[in-house]
Amino acid sequence: MTAYLAWTAAPPEDLVGPWSEVRQIAPGLLAVESTEHLSAVYHALKWSLPDDSALIVVPLHHTPKSRGMAPGTTSWLRARTSGPAD
């Protein structure tokens, strides 16, 4: 499984895709767990957004530093990534 971080300018209309879990961790920010590659996750999210909505998706290999995210976010990310990059 790979953890992905995705930011969208608009809320997704339907979160059916090639993932086992999607969590909204802050407004417009999603944590995604999938066995699929980046392109498949990106396109499924793109198709769930209104036309011309901004979107960025990146795989997470290390646990990112963060604060102010939804409860349980850090634990969720730690369970799916290696330790911090630094």
Side-chain angles (χ1 to χ4, degrees):
M1 289 277 184
T2 300
Y4 296 91
L5 193 62
W7 173 83
T8 68
E13 295 172 354
D14 185 10
L15 281 175
V16 175
W19 37 70
S20 55
E21 187 174 358
V22 176
R23 299 170 65 117
Q24 182 170 348
I25 60 175
L29 194 58
L30 305 170
V32 180
E33 180 181 44
S34 179
T35 58
E36 292 295 328
H37 51 84
L38 175 62
S39 183
V41 172
Y42 168 84
H43 282 92
L45 284 170
K46 181 178 105 173
W47 297 326
S48 74
L49 297 172
D51 290 343
D52 299 324
S53 295
L55 170 66
I56 189 168
V57 181
V58 62
L60 293 176
H61 302 291
H62 298 286
T63 307
K65 295 287 189 181
S66 64
R67 76 178 225 189
M69 301 295 122
T73 297
T74 300
S75 297
W76 190 93
L77 290 168
R78 283 182 183 152
R80 289 157 180 83
T81 58
S82 63
D86 43 274

